[in-house]
Amino acid sequence: MAEKTSVDAEEEYPGERLGLPETGQGSLASWRSRIAALIFDWAVSMAIAVVFFGRGVLTESDWRSWMILAVFFVQTGTGTMLFGSSVGQLLAKIAVVRLDREPLGPLRAYGRALLVCLVLPPLVIGADRRGLHDLAAGTAVINRR
């Protein structure tokens, strides 16, 4: 079996090493879709937190200031576990899948959500558009369409 040369490695597309298609359904989601989903998820979490905990979640510096993040954690973890996507990801037509194609389960879904809440893990990105949170959970974010 021949080894890959540097030219072959350059021709590789993101997700090829993971066995994902280059484009279309099942291919890696774009950064635009992922960021749009994140922004929408945060907005939904803000709205839910205001409904349940009052406007203090936006202005106070006590325990209520953490409620948007807490709602974001629960909303994204639960949505990912049950539907393979948070609300924002569903709208962006992207999904979180395990690379072994098994169900995500609560430990991976909430563990991944916790790492996203820590902010830094999603910012450390590998070659296949996978942050530390995806590497730790054994997941990838793919296109549903």
Side-chain angles (χ1 to χ4, degrees), residues 31 34 112 115-116 118-137 139:
W31 287 115
R34 293 178 73 160
R112 184 181 183 282
L115 290 173
V116 170
L118 294 176
V119 179
L120 188 58
L123 296 177
V124 180
I125 310 292
D128 290 311
R129 294 187 202 146
R130 295 173 65 213
L132 291 178
H133 61 300
D134 282 321
L135 293 172
T139 58

Side-chain angles (χ1 to χ4, degrees), residues 5-24:
T5 64
S6 62
V7 174
D8 292 335
E10 289 175 11
E11 292 176 8
E12 224 176 65
Y13 60 87
E16 182 176 19
R17 291 182 293 162
L18 304 174
L20 301 175
E22 186 171 6
T23 59

Side-chain angles (χ1 to χ4, degrees), residues 7 24-25 42-43 55 60 72 93 127 143:
V7 174
Q25 187 175 6
W42 191 259
R55 294 187 55 81
E60 302 296 323
F72 178 83
K93 297 182 178 147
N143 290 307

Side-chain angles (χ1 to χ4, degrees), residues 18 20 28 34 80-81 84 89 95-105 107-113 115-116 128-142:
L18 304 174
L20 301 175
L28 283 177
R34 293 178 73 160
T80 303
M81 179 181 68
Q89 290 170 333
V96 178
V97 297
R98 279 179 53 171
L99 295 176
D100 61 6
R101 302 295 187 223
E102 293 293 319
L104 211 55
L107 184 62
R108 288 179 195 262
Y110 287 108
R112 184 181 183 282
L115 290 173
V116 170
D128 290 311
R129 294 187 202 146
R130 295 173 65 213
L132 291 178
H133 61 300
D134 282 321
L135 293 172
T139 58
V141 181
I142 62 166

Side-chain angles (χ1 to χ4, degrees), residues 13-85:
Y13 60 87
E16 182 176 19
R17 291 182 293 162
L18 304 174
L20 301 175
E22 186 171 6
T23 59
Q25 187 175 6
S27 64
L28 283 177
S30 70
W31 287 115
R32 183 184 332 164
S33 296
R34 293 178 73 160
I35 291 170
L38 178 67
I39 291 169
F40 191 80
D41 281 334
W42 191 259
V44 167
S45 298
M46 285 176 67
I48 292 170
V50 167
V51 167
F52 282 99
F53 303 104
R55 294 187 55 81
V57 299
L58 302 172
T59 59
E60 302 296 323
S61 61
D62 58 5
W63 63 271
R64 287 179 288 187
S65 65
W66 291 96
M67 290 302 98
I68 296 171
L69 185 63
V71 170
F72 178 83
F73 168 75
V74 171
Q75 185 259 125
T76 58
T78 303
T80 303
M81 179 181 68
L82 296 176
F83 309 112
S85 297

